[in-house]
Amino acid sequence: MKKAMLIVNPSSGKEEAVDHVEQIEHILSEKGYEVEVSQTEKELDATKYCQNACRDEFDLVVSMGGDGTLHETINGMVDESHRPHLGIIPLGTVNDFARALDIPLKVEEAIDVLRSDQTKSVDIGKFNDQYFVNIVAAGSLAEATYEVTPEQKTKFGPLAYMMEGMKTLTQHSSYPMRIEYDDKAWEGESFLFLAALTNSAGGFEKLSPEAKVNDGKIHGYIVPKVNMIRLASIVSAILRGGLKDEQDVEYFKADHIRITSEEDLVTNVDGEEGDSLPVELSVLPSHISVVVK
């Protein structure tokens, strides 16, 4: 019999995640799986559970929670020689990875996807010794996301990030950065640098429309120091999906990126605080397989 592990964050989805466990167990049992349910209690539990599932050669791991639970689950899978298929039940505020894969954000519809036999190979990004699935950002706009409270995310959803970002715009802060990508380099004052694997970040599904989940490339966007009028235009371009073509913005595709700065500058990795610069990014093409509709 096939084996499936359901990793559940009981605090996700307004603490309603556990209410759906029995339904998921029923669907997976119908598909011939023996189901093991693992509930997270603390940070990195999802990583540990997923590592155990990989080492015991499970056929399927389902992440049921927000982007943090999914991020931990994927980090538990990436380095293993046996990687089960990944199912996603998105119960977070933003759910960028699910958006990029067209997995429904309504819980009942997402659960129904588990009936599918379709899978899609997906790229994974390496960030120093960790991994990411959506985006790495550095600069003042990236730092602004740390000011977003859980209450703001619950009330405003993805708009909470944009609200904090607009506050940062008025400060107009930039940082010295050097961005080396493949055999090229850019150096100067930058307001924001984005490295995207998918089209969705912060709930905005047009941020990087060029990025596909399995194109084997990191898509880089350098927003240099510009005046306030140009900066407002660039932010508007982010919202409408035209950042690549915006005047002053440097866009590139790469296999490897190194970001350094003379200043102490932290990064944002899939919506969470990441390492301080310097950092190195690379891509693992078509590294995991996700169940899709």
Side-chain angles (χ1 to χ4, degrees), residues 98-139:
R99 291 172 187 269
L101 287 162
D102 293 321
I103 292 172
L105 303 186
K106 292 183 178 179
V107 62
E108 293 289 344
E109 295 178 15
I111 290 172
D112 202 51
V113 172
L114 297 177
R115 301 181 189 276
S116 171
D117 294 320
Q118 299 290 324
T119 59
K120 177 174 278 192
S121 295
V122 177
D123 300 338
I124 295 295
K126 188 166 187 181
F127 172 86
N128 288 346
D129 294 326
Q130 302 177 45
Y131 299 93
F132 69 101
V133 295
N134 286 305
I135 199 160
V136 172

mmCIF file of all heavy atoms in Angstrom, residues 98-139:
data_model
loop_
_atom_site.group_PDB
_atom_site.id
_atom_site.type_symbol
_atom_site.label_atom_id
_atom_site.label_comp_id
_atom_site.label_asym_id
_atom_site.label_seq_id
_atom_site.Cartn_x
_atom_site.Cartn_y
_atom_site.Cartn_z
ATOM 1 N N ALA A 98 1.114 28.387 -3.811
ATOM 2 C CA ALA A 98 -0.147 27.827 -4.314
ATOM 3 C C ALA A 98 -0.693 28.676 -5.453
ATOM 4 O O ALA A 98 -1.184 28.140 -6.458
ATOM 5 C CB ALA A 98 -1.168 27.742 -3.178
ATOM 6 N N ARG A 99 -0.624 29.987 -5.321
ATOM 7 C CA ARG A 99 -1.087 30.878 -6.387
ATOM 8 C C ARG A 99 -0.330 30.610 -7.685
ATOM 9 O O ARG A 99 -0.914 30.557 -8.763
ATOM 10 C CB ARG A 99 -0.904 32.348 -5.985
ATOM 11 C CG ARG A 99 -1.820 32.836 -4.864
ATOM 12 C CD ARG A 99 -1.417 34.243 -4.432
ATOM 13 N NE ARG A 99 -2.145 34.696 -3.270
ATOM 14 C CZ ARG A 99 -3.290 35.373 -3.300
ATOM 15 N NH1 ARG A 99 -3.837 35.681 -4.465
ATOM 16 N NH2 ARG A 99 -3.880 35.759 -2.198
ATOM 17 N N ALA A 100 0.988 30.455 -7.561
ATOM 18 C CA ALA A 100 1.814 30.255 -8.751
ATOM 19 C C ALA A 100 1.484 28.944 -9.452
ATOM 20 O O ALA A 100 1.663 28.814 -10.664
ATOM 21 C CB ALA A 100 3.296 30.294 -8.363
ATOM 22 N N LEU A 101 0.983 27.962 -8.692
ATOM 23 C CA LEU A 101 0.664 26.649 -9.258
ATOM 24 C C LEU A 101 -0.819 26.487 -9.563
ATOM 25 O O LEU A 101 -1.270 25.388 -9.909
ATOM 26 C CB LEU A 101 1.105 25.555 -8.279
ATOM 27 C CG LEU A 101 2.617 25.351 -8.206
ATOM 28 C CD1 LEU A 101 2.995 24.609 -6.945
ATOM 29 C CD2 LEU A 101 3.111 24.593 -9.427
ATOM 30 N N ASP A 102 -1.580 27.582 -9.433
ATOM 31 C CA ASP A 102 -3.034 27.556 -9.678
ATOM 32 C C ASP A 102 -3.748 26.564 -8.775
ATOM 33 O O ASP A 102 -4.764 25.963 -9.161
ATOM 34 C CB ASP A 102 -3.351 27.242 -11.151
ATOM 35 C CG ASP A 102 -2.900 28.357 -12.081
ATOM 36 O OD1 ASP A 102 -3.046 29.533 -11.700
ATOM 37 O OD2 ASP A 102 -2.408 28.058 -13.173
ATOM 38 N N ILE A 103 -3.234 26.384 -7.575
ATOM 39 C CA ILE A 103 -3.933 25.566 -6.579
ATOM 40 C C ILE A 103 -4.964 26.457 -5.896
ATOM 41 O O ILE A 103 -4.635 27.551 -5.437
ATOM 42 C CB ILE A 103 -2.935 24.982 -5.557
ATOM 43 C CG1 ILE A 103 -2.036 23.957 -6.251
ATOM 44 C CG2 ILE A 103 -3.667 24.344 -4.374
ATOM 45 C CD1 ILE A 103 -0.900 23.452 -5.403
ATOM 46 N N PRO A 104 -6.225 26.040 -5.837
ATOM 47 C CA PRO A 104 -7.279 26.903 -5.288
ATOM 48 C C PRO A 104 -6.975 27.334 -3.856
ATOM 49 O O PRO A 104 -6.413 26.581 -3.060
ATOM 50 C CB PRO A 104 -8.526 26.012 -5.333
ATOM 51 C CG PRO A 104 -8.230 24.978 -6.371
ATOM 52 C CD PRO A 104 -6.759 24.744 -6.301
ATOM 53 N N LEU A 105 -7.373 28.564 -3.520
ATOM 54 C CA LEU A 105 -7.162 29.088 -2.177
ATOM 55 C C LEU A 105 -8.317 28.751 -1.242
ATOM 56 O O LEU A 105 -8.197 28.930 -0.030
ATOM 57 C CB LEU A 105 -6.933 30.602 -2.234
ATOM 58 C CG LEU A 105 -5.767 31.068 -3.116
ATOM 59 C CD1 LEU A 105 -5.558 32.564 -2.969
ATOM 60 C CD2 LEU A 105 -4.487 30.323 -2.774
ATOM 61 N N LYS A 106 -9.433 28.293 -1.797
ATOM 62 C CA LYS A 106 -10.539 27.827 -0.958
ATOM 63 C C LYS A 106 -10.220 26.409 -0.522
ATOM 64 O O LYS A 106 -9.914 25.541 -1.343
ATOM 65 C CB LYS A 106 -11.859 27.875 -1.731
ATOM 66 C CG LYS A 106 -12.322 29.291 -2.039
ATOM 67 C CD LYS A 106 -13.668 29.290 -2.753
ATOM 68 C CE LYS A 106 -14.143 30.718 -3.019
ATOM 69 N NZ LYS A 106 -15.441 30.737 -3.742
ATOM 70 N N VAL A 107 -10.336 26.168 0.776
ATOM 71 C CA VAL A 107 -9.836 24.918 1.338
ATOM 72 C C VAL A 107 -10.517 23.689 0.738
ATOM 73 O O VAL A 107 -9.844 22.692 0.421
ATOM 74 C CB VAL A 107 -9.945 24.923 2.881
ATOM 75 C CG1 VAL A 107 -11.382 25.035 3.347
ATOM 76 C CG2 VAL A 107 -9.292 23.676 3.469
ATOM 77 N N GLU A 108 -11.822 23.736 0.533
ATOM 78 C CA GLU A 108 -12.520 22.569 -0.013
ATOM 79 C C GLU A 108 -12.050 22.262 -1.433
ATOM 80 O O GLU A 108 -11.887 21.097 -1.810
ATOM 81 C CB GLU A 108 -14.040 22.797 0.004
ATOM 82 C CG GLU A 108 -14.652 22.872 1.388
ATOM 83 C CD GLU A 108 -14.665 21.526 2.102
ATOM 84 O OE1 GLU A 108 -14.475 20.493 1.426
ATOM 85 O OE2 GLU A 108 -14.847 21.502 3.326
ATOM 86 N N GLU A 109 -11.816 23.308 -2.220
ATOM 87 C CA GLU A 109 -11.352 23.112 -3.600
ATOM 88 C C GLU A 109 -9.913 22.608 -3.621
ATOM 89 O O GLU A 109 -9.541 21.786 -4.462
ATOM 90 C CB GLU A 109 -11.482 24.415 -4.385
ATOM 91 C CG GLU A 109 -12.922 24.882 -4.583
ATOM 92 C CD GLU A 109 -13.014 26.189 -5.328
ATOM 93 O OE1 GLU A 109 -12.000 26.597 -5.949
ATOM 94 O OE2 GLU A 109 -14.080 26.830 -5.278
ATOM 95 N N ALA A 110 -9.093 23.103 -2.689
ATOM 96 C CA ALA A 110 -7.700 22.644 -2.623
ATOM 97 C C ALA A 110 -7.637 21.173 -2.209
ATOM 98 O O ALA A 110 -6.831 20.400 -2.740
ATOM 99 C CB ALA A 110 -6.917 23.501 -1.637
ATOM 100 N N ILE A 111 -8.487 20.784 -1.261
ATOM 101 C CA ILE A 111 -8.536 19.383 -0.839
ATOM 102 C C ILE A 111 -8.923 18.491 -2.011
ATOM 103 O O ILE A 111 -8.384 17.394 -2.184
ATOM 104 C CB ILE A 111 -9.517 19.212 0.341
ATOM 105 C CG1 ILE A 111 -8.933 19.864 1.603
ATOM 106 C CG2 ILE A 111 -9.835 17.746 0.591
ATOM 107 C CD1 ILE A 111 -9.891 19.927 2.761
ATOM 108 N N ASP A 112 -9.832 18.974 -2.846
ATOM 109 C CA ASP A 112 -10.291 18.182 -3.991
ATOM 110 C C ASP A 112 -9.161 17.921 -4.986
ATOM 111 O O ASP A 112 -9.195 16.931 -5.718
ATOM 112 C CB ASP A 112 -11.464 18.901 -4.675
ATOM 113 C CG ASP A 112 -12.317 17.951 -5.498
ATOM 114 O OD1 ASP A 112 -12.740 16.908 -4.964
ATOM 115 O OD2 ASP A 112 -12.533 18.240 -6.695
ATOM 116 N N VAL A 113 -8.166 18.807 -5.030
ATOM 117 C CA VAL A 113 -7.020 18.619 -5.932
ATOM 118 C C VAL A 113 -6.283 17.327 -5.593
ATOM 119 O O VAL A 113 -5.669 16.699 -6.465
ATOM 120 C CB VAL A 113 -6.068 19.837 -5.867
ATOM 121 C CG1 VAL A 113 -4.782 19.580 -6.654
ATOM 122 C CG2 VAL A 113 -6.760 21.080 -6.410
ATOM 123 N N LEU A 114 -6.350 16.890 -4.336
ATOM 124 C CA LEU A 114 -5.660 15.667 -3.932
ATOM 125 C C LEU A 114 -6.204 14.425 -4.643
ATOM 126 O O LEU A 114 -5.560 13.377 -4.640
ATOM 127 C CB LEU A 114 -5.749 15.482 -2.416
ATOM 128 C CG LEU A 114 -5.069 16.557 -1.564
ATOM 129 C CD1 LEU A 114 -5.291 16.278 -0.088
ATOM 130 C CD2 LEU A 114 -3.576 16.638 -1.876
ATOM 131 N N ARG A 115 -7.368 14.556 -5.251
ATOM 132 C CA ARG A 115 -7.906 13.434 -6.039
ATOM 133 C C ARG A 115 -7.180 13.295 -7.380
ATOM 134 O O ARG A 115 -7.295 12.270 -8.050
ATOM 135 C CB ARG A 115 -9.405 13.656 -6.320
ATOM 136 C CG ARG A 115 -10.272 13.782 -5.080
ATOM 137 C CD ARG A 115 -11.735 13.979 -5.480
ATOM 138 N NE ARG A 115 -12.574 14.324 -4.347
ATOM 139 C CZ ARG A 115 -13.119 13.434 -3.513
ATOM 140 N NH1 ARG A 115 -12.916 12.154 -3.703
ATOM 141 N NH2 ARG A 115 -13.868 13.838 -2.503
ATOM 142 N N SER A 116 -6.437 14.336 -7.762
ATOM 143 C CA SER A 116 -5.802 14.373 -9.080
ATOM 144 C C SER A 116 -4.603 13.435 -9.159
ATOM 145 O O SER A 116 -3.892 13.220 -8.171
ATOM 146 C CB SER A 116 -5.352 15.809 -9.387
ATOM 147 O OG SER A 116 -4.549 15.844 -10.552
ATOM 148 N N ASP A 117 -4.356 12.909 -10.350
ATOM 149 C CA ASP A 117 -3.149 12.130 -10.620
ATOM 150 C C ASP A 117 -2.105 12.967 -11.359
ATOM 151 O O ASP A 117 -1.049 12.446 -11.746
ATOM 152 C CB ASP A 117 -3.491 10.891 -11.450
ATOM 153 C CG ASP A 117 -4.354 9.901 -10.682
ATOM 154 O OD1 ASP A 117 -4.106 9.705 -9.467
ATOM 155 O OD2 ASP A 117 -5.293 9.329 -11.285
ATOM 156 N N GLN A 118 -2.411 14.259 -11.558
ATOM 157 C CA GLN A 118 -1.503 15.149 -12.277
ATOM 158 C C GLN A 118 -0.455 15.718 -11.321
ATOM 159 O O GLN A 118 -0.770 16.099 -10.188
ATOM 160 C CB GLN A 118 -2.276 16.310 -12.906
ATOM 161 C CG GLN A 118 -3.326 15.900 -13.916
ATOM 162 C CD GLN A 118 -2.700 15.357 -15.191
ATOM 163 O OE1 GLN A 118 -1.662 15.835 -15.638
ATOM 164 N NE2 GLN A 118 -3.331 14.361 -15.780
ATOM 165 N N THR A 119 0.783 15.784 -11.776
ATOM 166 C CA THR A 119 1.835 16.443 -11.002
ATOM 167 C C THR A 119 2.607 17.397 -11.914
ATOM 168 O O THR A 119 2.582 17.258 -13.141
ATOM 169 C CB THR A 119 2.823 15.433 -10.390
ATOM 170 O OG1 THR A 119 3.436 14.673 -11.442
ATOM 171 C CG2 THR A 119 2.134 14.517 -9.402
ATOM 172 N N LYS A 120 3.277 18.358 -11.289
ATOM 173 C CA LYS A 120 4.104 19.297 -12.047
ATOM 174 C C LYS A 120 5.464 19.397 -11.372
ATOM 175 O O LYS A 120 5.561 19.562 -10.147
ATOM 176 C CB LYS A 120 3.447 20.675 -12.091
ATOM 177 C CG LYS A 120 4.295 21.730 -12.796
ATOM 178 C CD LYS A 120 3.565 23.057 -12.944
ATOM 179 C CE LYS A 120 2.643 23.030 -14.132
ATOM 180 N NZ LYS A 120 2.139 24.387 -14.477
ATOM 181 N N SER A 121 6.518 19.285 -12.173
ATOM 182 C CA SER A 121 7.873 19.464 -11.657
ATOM 183 C C SER A 121 8.137 20.945 -11.428
ATOM 184 O O SER A 121 7.795 21.783 -12.271
ATOM 185 C CB SER A 121 8.908 18.894 -12.629
ATOM 186 O OG SER A 121 8.761 17.497 -12.746
ATOM 187 N N VAL A 122 8.747 21.270 -10.303
ATOM 188 C CA VAL A 122 8.890 22.670 -9.883
ATOM 189 C C VAL A 122 10.335 22.939 -9.473
ATOM 190 O O VAL A 122 10.980 22.109 -8.818
ATOM 191 C CB VAL A 122 7.937 22.962 -8.703
ATOM 192 C CG1 VAL A 122 8.111 24.386 -8.204
ATOM 193 C CG2 VAL A 122 6.492 22.730 -9.114
ATOM 194 N N ASP A 123 10.826 24.123 -9.860
ATOM 195 C CA ASP A 123 12.165 24.552 -9.461
ATOM 196 C C ASP A 123 12.196 24.917 -7.982
ATOM 197 O O ASP A 123 11.206 25.407 -7.425
ATOM 198 C CB ASP A 123 12.603 25.797 -10.252
ATOM 199 C CG ASP A 123 12.649 25.566 -11.749
ATOM 200 O OD1 ASP A 123 12.767 24.398 -12.173
ATOM 201 O OD2 ASP A 123 12.561 26.563 -12.498
ATOM 202 N N ILE A 124 13.353 24.715 -7.370
ATOM 203 C CA ILE A 124 13.596 25.151 -6.003
ATOM 204 C C ILE A 124 14.829 26.050 -6.015
ATOM 205 O O ILE A 124 15.810 25.770 -6.704
ATOM 206 C CB ILE A 124 13.837 23.948 -5.061
ATOM 207 C CG1 ILE A 124 12.574 23.095 -4.964
ATOM 208 C CG2 ILE A 124 14.272 24.425 -3.671
ATOM 209 C CD1 ILE A 124 11.399 23.774 -4.322
ATOM 210 N N GLY A 125 14.778 27.126 -5.257
ATOM 211 C CA GLY A 125 15.930 28.011 -5.150
ATOM 212 C C GLY A 125 16.749 27.690 -3.913
ATOM 213 O O GLY A 125 16.202 27.361 -2.860
ATOM 214 N N LYS A 126 18.063 27.777 -4.053
ATOM 215 C CA LYS A 126 18.944 27.607 -2.893
ATOM 216 C C LYS A 126 19.405 28.981 -2.437
ATOM 217 O O LYS A 126 19.817 29.817 -3.249
ATOM 218 C CB LYS A 126 20.142 26.719 -3.236
ATOM 219 C CG LYS A 126 20.961 26.357 -2.003
ATOM 220 C CD LYS A 126 21.941 25.220 -2.268
ATOM 221 C CE LYS A 126 22.603 24.805 -0.945
ATOM 222 N NZ LYS A 126 23.582 23.704 -1.140
ATOM 223 N N PHE A 127 19.318 29.203 -1.138
ATOM 224 C CA PHE A 127 19.671 30.488 -0.525
ATOM 225 C C PHE A 127 20.686 30.186 0.575
ATOM 226 O O PHE A 127 20.319 29.703 1.634
ATOM 227 C CB PHE A 127 18.404 31.135 0.051
ATOM 228 C CG PHE A 127 18.647 32.373 0.867
ATOM 229 C CD1 PHE A 127 18.736 33.610 0.257
ATOM 230 C CD2 PHE A 127 18.780 32.295 2.248
ATOM 231 C CE1 PHE A 127 18.952 34.755 1.011
ATOM 232 C CE2 PHE A 127 18.987 33.439 3.006
ATOM 233 C CZ PHE A 127 19.079 34.663 2.387
ATOM 234 N N ASN A 128 21.981 30.429 0.288
ATOM 235 C CA ASN A 128 23.043 29.967 1.178
ATOM 236 C C ASN A 128 22.828 28.476 1.457
ATOM 237 O O ASN A 128 22.824 27.694 0.535
ATOM 238 C CB ASN A 128 23.094 30.809 2.461
ATOM 239 C CG ASN A 128 23.653 32.214 2.181
ATOM 240 O OD1 ASN A 128 24.229 32.462 1.128
ATOM 241 N ND2 ASN A 128 23.474 33.110 3.131
ATOM 242 N N ASP A 129 22.584 28.092 2.703
ATOM 243 C CA ASP A 129 22.389 26.675 3.010
ATOM 244 C C ASP A 129 20.924 26.320 3.176
ATOM 245 O O ASP A 129 20.593 25.234 3.659
ATOM 246 C CB ASP A 129 23.158 26.303 4.296
ATOM 247 C CG ASP A 129 24.663 26.424 4.106
ATOM 248 O OD1 ASP A 129 25.139 26.138 2.980
ATOM 249 O OD2 ASP A 129 25.349 26.804 5.067
ATOM 250 N N GLN A 130 20.027 27.245 2.810
ATOM 251 C CA GLN A 130 18.593 26.991 2.919
ATOM 252 C C GLN A 130 17.962 27.021 1.525
ATOM 253 O O GLN A 130 18.663 27.133 0.516
ATOM 254 C CB GLN A 130 17.944 28.041 3.828
ATOM 255 C CG GLN A 130 18.528 28.088 5.232
ATOM 256 C CD GLN A 130 17.907 29.189 6.060
ATOM 257 O OE1 GLN A 130 16.702 29.372 6.068
ATOM 258 N NE2 GLN A 130 18.748 29.954 6.740
ATOM 259 N N TYR A 131 16.623 26.958 1.503
ATOM 260 C CA TYR A 131 15.929 26.891 0.216
ATOM 261 C C TYR A 131 14.734 27.836 0.212
ATOM 262 O O TYR A 131 14.185 28.181 1.254
ATOM 263 C CB TYR A 131 15.474 25.451 -0.057
ATOM 264 C CG TYR A 131 16.636 24.499 -0.138
ATOM 265 C CD1 TYR A 131 17.066 23.809 0.984
ATOM 266 C CD2 TYR A 131 17.341 24.329 -1.337
ATOM 267 C CE1 TYR A 131 18.161 22.963 0.930
ATOM 268 C CE2 TYR A 131 18.432 23.494 -1.394
ATOM 269 C CZ TYR A 131 18.845 22.810 -0.266
ATOM 270 O OH TYR A 131 19.938 21.986 -0.332
ATOM 271 N N PHE A 132 14.338 28.256 -0.991
ATOM 272 C CA PHE A 132 13.157 29.107 -1.141
ATOM 273 C C PHE A 132 12.384 28.669 -2.370
ATOM 274 O O PHE A 132 12.922 27.994 -3.252
ATOM 275 C CB PHE A 132 13.546 30.586 -1.211
ATOM 276 C CG PHE A 132 14.281 31.006 -2.464
ATOM 277 C CD1 PHE A 132 13.619 31.651 -3.494
ATOM 278 C CD2 PHE A 132 15.644 30.763 -2.613
ATOM 279 C CE1 PHE A 132 14.296 32.054 -4.642
ATOM 280 C CE2 PHE A 132 16.327 31.150 -3.754
ATOM 281 C CZ PHE A 132 15.646 31.799 -4.774
ATOM 282 N N VAL A 133 11.099 29.052 -2.406
ATOM 283 C CA VAL A 133 10.256 28.629 -3.532
ATOM 284 C C VAL A 133 9.652 29.797 -4.300
ATOM 285 O O VAL A 133 9.164 29.603 -5.416
ATOM 286 C CB VAL A 133 9.119 27.696 -3.062
ATOM 287 C CG1 VAL A 133 9.693 26.399 -2.519
ATOM 288 C CG2 VAL A 133 8.235 28.366 -2.025
ATOM 289 N N ASN A 134 9.681 31.002 -3.730
ATOM 290 C CA ASN A 134 9.057 32.135 -4.406
ATOM 291 C C ASN A 134 10.015 33.278 -4.688
ATOM 292 O O ASN A 134 10.268 33.599 -5.829
ATOM 293 C CB ASN A 134 7.871 32.671 -3.578
ATOM 294 C CG ASN A 134 6.673 31.772 -3.631
ATOM 295 O OD1 ASN A 134 6.178 31.448 -4.699
ATOM 296 N ND2 ASN A 134 6.211 31.334 -2.468
ATOM 297 N N ILE A 135 10.514 33.912 -3.624
ATOM 298 C CA ILE A 135 11.236 35.161 -3.854
ATOM 299 C C ILE A 135 12.223 35.461 -2.739
ATOM 300 O O ILE A 135 12.000 35.091 -1.577
ATOM 301 C CB ILE A 135 10.229 36.334 -4.000
ATOM 302 C CG1 ILE A 135 10.866 37.543 -4.686
ATOM 303 C CG2 ILE A 135 9.612 36.710 -2.654
ATOM 304 C CD1 ILE A 135 9.855 38.494 -5.280
ATOM 305 N N VAL A 136 13.315 36.090 -3.120
ATOM 306 C CA VAL A 136 14.270 36.671 -2.171
ATOM 307 C C VAL A 136 14.345 38.161 -2.485
ATOM 308 O O VAL A 136 14.441 38.552 -3.651
ATOM 309 C CB VAL A 136 15.668 36.030 -2.307
ATOM 310 C CG1 VAL A 136 16.694 36.791 -1.458
ATOM 311 C CG2 VAL A 136 15.622 34.569 -1.899
ATOM 312 N N ALA A 137 14.268 38.980 -1.443
ATOM 313 C CA ALA A 137 14.304 40.425 -1.643
ATOM 314 C C ALA A 137 15.321 41.051 -0.697
ATOM 315 O O ALA A 137 15.525 40.568 0.420
ATOM 316 C CB ALA A 137 12.925 41.036 -1.415
ATOM 317 N N ALA A 138 15.940 42.146 -1.158
ATOM 318 C CA ALA A 138 16.861 42.907 -0.319
ATOM 319 C C ALA A 138 16.631 44.388 -0.609
ATOM 320 O O ALA A 138 16.408 44.780 -1.751
ATOM 321 C CB ALA A 138 18.310 42.520 -0.607
ATOM 322 N N GLY A 139 16.674 45.206 0.441
ATOM 323 C CA GLY A 139 16.440 46.624 0.275
ATOM 324 C C GLY A 139 15.379 47.125 1.233
ATOM 325 O O GLY A 139 14.816 46.370 2.030
#
